[in-house]
Amino acid sequence: MQTEKWWQKAVVYQVYPKSFQDSNHDGIGDIRGIIQRLDYIKTLGVDVIWLNPIYKSPDIDGGYDISDYQNINPTFGSMADFDELLSKAHAMGLKIIMDLVVNHSSFQHDWFQKSLASSELDNDYRDYYVWRDPVDGHEPNNWGSFFSGPAWTYDEKSGQYYLHLFAKEQPDLNWDNPKVRHSIFDMMNWWAAKGIDGFRMDVISLISKPDGLPDAPITGDSIFGNPGPVVSNGPHVHQYIREMNNKVLSKHDWMTVGETTGMNVNDAKKYANIDGSELDMLFQFEHVGYDGDTNAAQGHFSGYTPKLKDIRDSIVKWQTAFDGTGWTSLYWSNHDQPRAVSWFGNKAPEYRELSAKMLAALLHFLQGTPYIYQGEELGMTNNDAFQSITQYRDVETLTLYRQTVEQKKLTSSKEMLDYLRIHSRDNTRTPMQWDTSSNAGFSDSTPWLETNPNYQAINAKAALDNPDSIFYFYQKLIKLRHQLPVITDGTFKLLPDNEQDDHIFAYTRTNSETTLLIIANFTSDTVTRDYDVPKAAQLLIQNYTDDQETTIRPYEVKVYQYPTKSLKK
Ligand code: NOJ
């Protein structure tokens, strides 16, 4: 391994500001709310906070539609509030990384307004976005938006279409225009001067569009092509990221994580290059993306349950491919995914805590940088109280529902609502559950999105009062990562015979000094396995109070530690 970087030992806590803590009684989380909760984050023991977008935005897509990259959304506070958050976090030894959303801007961004304004197609800002003439009176190609519907919107005034891979209010920036790139790099350096510690880069693998914008493959019942395969890893993406690295990233001791869709290990290595010429690590979606028939009309929204074998195969593949040649991120959930315990674990009262701890340990002993999504450390669950489409706020959820249920009648409302309770992005966006007071202590006004009613039982106060809580289990895992070098540098190996096991995920991490053996039951069945644990092994952490050696109980996880040279028993 090359010289260790600070982010290789770090654990990141993801804060979704809108749902974290309201301080000004409007039912929406804000920056001063985050300041109030810094002690809580520090107690957990993490090193870095990743803030979802807090920039000025009409908030069509949870702030991923930015209208001013150098201003704070007034709903979240002011730039002075941000400066205070940054300096208080730094004083507590916490770093802050921001979200960089530059595949697209908001339609309300000055650049797009200027791009739209002129009937002259050659005005200075026209070329900041991707405009094309109609072909045979319709869209320039067959691309669909990732939020469903066409990826092109027609502008009457100029008689051209503009491209938006997401909502129509999120026009794609034209990275082929050097002026766009330089404006973005200047903006990034402006944030650097404020002292931030890095960026999470939204859909960064989509920034370079393929020459000629060819049609995309049509899948399932869709009338639009899925642009994913044709717009990911475009022809100039590495050139542009290297330029960004040269002009911005290389000048700062930052951590950078690129969000990339549809990534394979070989392509991923080009971005998360060990020589530091591009980004430090990526978010890829393979292990969380096994969600059934993506050809179906409702895409990945389905009742499918993920299989241990798929998840394990994917984790093994990425752990092995990156060992010594790159770095990866580790996560189960985020603001776009279901709650980890609902999707991969078991939210039934008797299993919720056990399965949340099992998932935590399984992930935190892997190589990479772990990310904890707010509330995951409490075992927060999807919101089963969402029973009507009127309770949802997420643009993807609402667009998909409109398309599949109301317009095309491809699925019934009941069926879609069942899927939404599993997959809607609003499941992880419900307010953070702090205590048993009204609205879970998130706000004393009606929250922008309903609180999960289970906050009476699942909340931070209860967790902090209980030494056996999921919270303290995470705290212990984070401490171990800081203390034991093997968690950062050890080689990953799946136990022999584990590839086909339907219940257990068991692996080792080994360096010259220490070996860790992680055994995790992914199911509610009790099973028997003999893993030939060396005599010298000590139990480092577990989620039951006793050890039964060969019997592995529902969602049990145990981690043994022994000297690498110790003899087998
Ligand atoms: C990925 C973000 O995580 C998601 O929330 C957003 O909708 C899309 N990118 C578009 O910016």
Side-chain angles (χ1 to χ4, degrees), residues 6-17:
W6 64 264
W7 37 262
Q8 290 181 312
K9 264 199 157 10
V11 178
V12 183
Y13 188 76
Q14 182 187 350
V15 169
Y16 193 72

Side-chain angles (χ1 to χ4, degrees), residues 21 54 89 246 251 280-281 294 469 489:
Q21 177 68 64
I54 51 170
N246 187 268
K251 301 185 196 306
D280 297 327
M281 66 191 99
T294 43
S469 67
D489 65 18

Side-chain angles (χ1 to χ4, degrees), residues 61 64 101 104 147 166 170 200 202-203 259 335-336 425 429:
D61 179 22
Y64 282 91
V101 190
H104 44 268
F147 290 159
F166 295 89
Q170 294 167 294
R200 173 266 188 194
D202 193 60
V203 291
E259 189 210 25
H335 62 292
D336 294 332
R425 307 194 300 181
R429 297 176 182 187

Side-chain angles (χ1 to χ4, degrees), residues 176-231:
D176 295 334
N177 179 350
K179 286 188 193 155
V180 168
R181 303 202 295 276
H182 294 149
S183 302
I184 290 170
F185 302 154
D186 288 350
M187 173 273 285
M188 292 173 76
N189 277 322
W190 184 88
W191 281 100
K194 283 200 162 281
I196 64 162
D197 302 289
F199 277 116
R200 173 266 188 194
M201 303 185 184
D202 193 60
V203 291
I204 201 70
S205 51
L206 306 183
I207 58 175
S208 167
K209 311 301 189 261
D211 296 334
L213 307 183
D215 276 348
I218 299 267
T219 44
D221 303 329
S222 180
I223 52 166
F224 300 109
N226 169 11
V230 285
V231 293

Side-chain angles (χ1 to χ4, degrees), residues 17-30 59 75 383 386 390-393 426 429-434 437-453 455:
K18 203 172 172 183
S19 303
F20 196 57
Q21 177 68 64
D22 175 21
S23 76
N24 66 345
H25 323 289
D26 63 358
I28 301 172
D30 47 51
D59 196 12
T75 329
N383 192 352
F386 285 144
T390 58
Q391 291 167 291
Y392 288 93
R393 299 287 172 269
D426 281 339
R429 297 176 182 187
T430 58
M432 179 73 177
Q433 295 169 202
W434 295 107
S437 64
S438 66
N439 303 318
F442 163 71
S443 174
D444 50 17
S445 304
T446 308
W448 71 276
L449 180 67
E450 280 175 36
T451 310
N452 191 325
Y455 72 84

Side-chain angles (χ1 to χ4, degrees), residues 319-549:
Q319 287 286 299
T320 314
F322 273 76
D323 190 12
T325 65
W327 198 252
T328 54
S329 61
L330 308 168
Y331 71 95
W332 287 125
S333 183
N334 62 35
H335 62 292
D336 294 332
Q337 302 290 329
R339 282 282 175 191
V341 81
S342 297
W343 178 236
F344 297 110
N346 192 325
K347 64 181 180 177
E350 68 273 37
Y351 295 136
R352 187 184 61 86
E353 290 208 20
L354 284 169
S355 65
K357 290 177 181 171
M358 180 277 291
L359 289 169
L362 186 51
L363 190 96
H364 279 250
F365 284 101
L366 294 170
Q367 186 172 57
T369 299
Y371 291 71
I372 302 167
Y373 178 72
Q374 65 182 43
E376 197 172 334
E377 76 283 8
L378 306 175
M380 277 176 63
T381 64
N382 281 4
N383 192 352
D384 292 334
F386 285 144
Q387 295 293 331
S388 149
I389 192 65
T390 58
Q391 291 167 291
Y392 288 93
R393 299 287 172 269
D394 168 40
V395 64
E396 180 191 41
T397 301
L398 300 177
T399 315
L400 202 66
Y401 184 89
R402 214 174 299 128
Q403 294 268 334
T404 57
V405 179
E406 291 169 1
Q407 290 172 7
K408 298 196 203 128
K409 311 215 182 308
L410 291 169
T411 177
S412 71
S413 167
K414 185 192 166 303
E415 189 183 23
M416 196 60 180
L417 287 168
D418 287 345
Y419 297 156
L420 293 183
R421 277 188 297 278
I422 303 171
H423 282 287
S424 167
R425 307 194 300 181
D426 281 339
N427 283 303
T428 39
R429 297 176 182 187
T430 58
M432 179 73 177
Q433 295 169 202
W434 295 107
D435 55 40
T436 54
S437 64
S438 66
N439 303 318
F442 163 71
S443 174
D444 50 17
S445 304
T446 308
W448 71 276
L449 180 67
E450 280 175 36
T451 310
N452 191 325
N454 66 13
Y455 72 84
Q456 291 296 338
I458 304 172
N459 63 70
K461 164 103 181 38
L464 289 168
D465 288 346
N466 170 12
D468 286 331
S469 67
I470 303 167
F471 180 93
Y472 289 119
F473 194 82
Y474 268 95
Q475 189 189 56
K476 200 162 168 193
L477 292 172
I478 297 165
K479 266 194 197 132
L480 286 170
R481 175 167 291 261
H482 292 152
Q483 287 161 359
L484 290 178
V486 66
I487 301 179
T488 312
D489 65 18
T491 298
F492 169 93
K493 218 166 166 212
L494 194 68
L495 284 203
D497 300 338
N498 190 234
E499 285 103 343
Q500 302 301 330
D501 199 313
D502 287 335
H503 294 84
I504 305 293
F505 190 159
Y507 64 89
T508 53
R509 299 289 311 284
T510 307
N511 66 13
S512 56
E513 301 285 311
T514 311
T515 294
L516 302 175
L517 166 61
I518 295 90
I519 300 168
N521 186 349
F522 224 76
T523 72
S524 56
D525 298 332
T526 298
V527 295
T528 307
R529 300 281 184 280
D530 188 356
Y531 285 119
D532 205 11
V533 180
K535 267 216 171 78
Q538 308 225 329
L539 258 178
L540 190 62
I541 191 166
Q542 63 186 131
N543 62 350
Y544 278 74
T545 48
D546 60 332
D547 183 23
Q548 300 194 348
E549 290 233 355

Side-chain angles (χ1 to χ4, degrees), residues 177-313:
N177 179 350
K179 286 188 193 155
V180 168
R181 303 202 295 276
H182 294 149
S183 302
I184 290 170
F185 302 154
D186 288 350
M187 173 273 285
M188 292 173 76
N189 277 322
W190 184 88
W191 281 100
K194 283 200 162 281
I196 64 162
D197 302 289
F199 277 116
R200 173 266 188 194
M201 303 185 184
D202 193 60
V203 291
I204 201 70
S205 51
L206 306 183
I207 58 175
S208 167
K209 311 301 189 261
D211 296 334
L213 307 183
D215 276 348
I218 299 267
T219 44
D221 303 329
S222 180
I223 52 166
F224 300 109
N226 169 11
V230 285
V231 293
S232 295
N233 309 322
H236 306 293
V237 69
H238 296 292
Q239 177 199 327
Y240 298 157
I241 295 179
R242 277 166 192 253
E243 193 181 336
M244 176 198 284
N245 186 293
N246 187 268
K247 297 232 159 33
V248 188
L249 310 182
S250 60
K251 301 185 196 306
H252 312 291
D253 186 18
W254 271 0
M255 82 172 255
T256 54
V257 49
E259 189 210 25
T260 56
T261 55
M263 193 54 63
N264 63 47
V265 282
N266 292 329
D267 282 331
K269 279 189 189 173
K270 296 182 194 152
Y271 292 85
N273 199 314
I274 197 147
D275 67 9
S277 55
E278 295 195 20
L279 306 176
D280 297 327
M281 66 191 99
L282 297 187
F283 284 132
Q284 55 82 23
F285 293 90
E286 193 179 81
H287 68 295
V288 296
Y290 289 105
D291 38 17
D293 183 7
T294 43
N295 288 339
Q298 64 274 12
H300 67 277
F301 287 70
S302 73
Y304 186 85
T305 311
K307 304 272 178 293
L308 170 60
K309 182 166 173 18
D310 292 337
I311 298 163
R312 183 179 47 217
D313 283 356

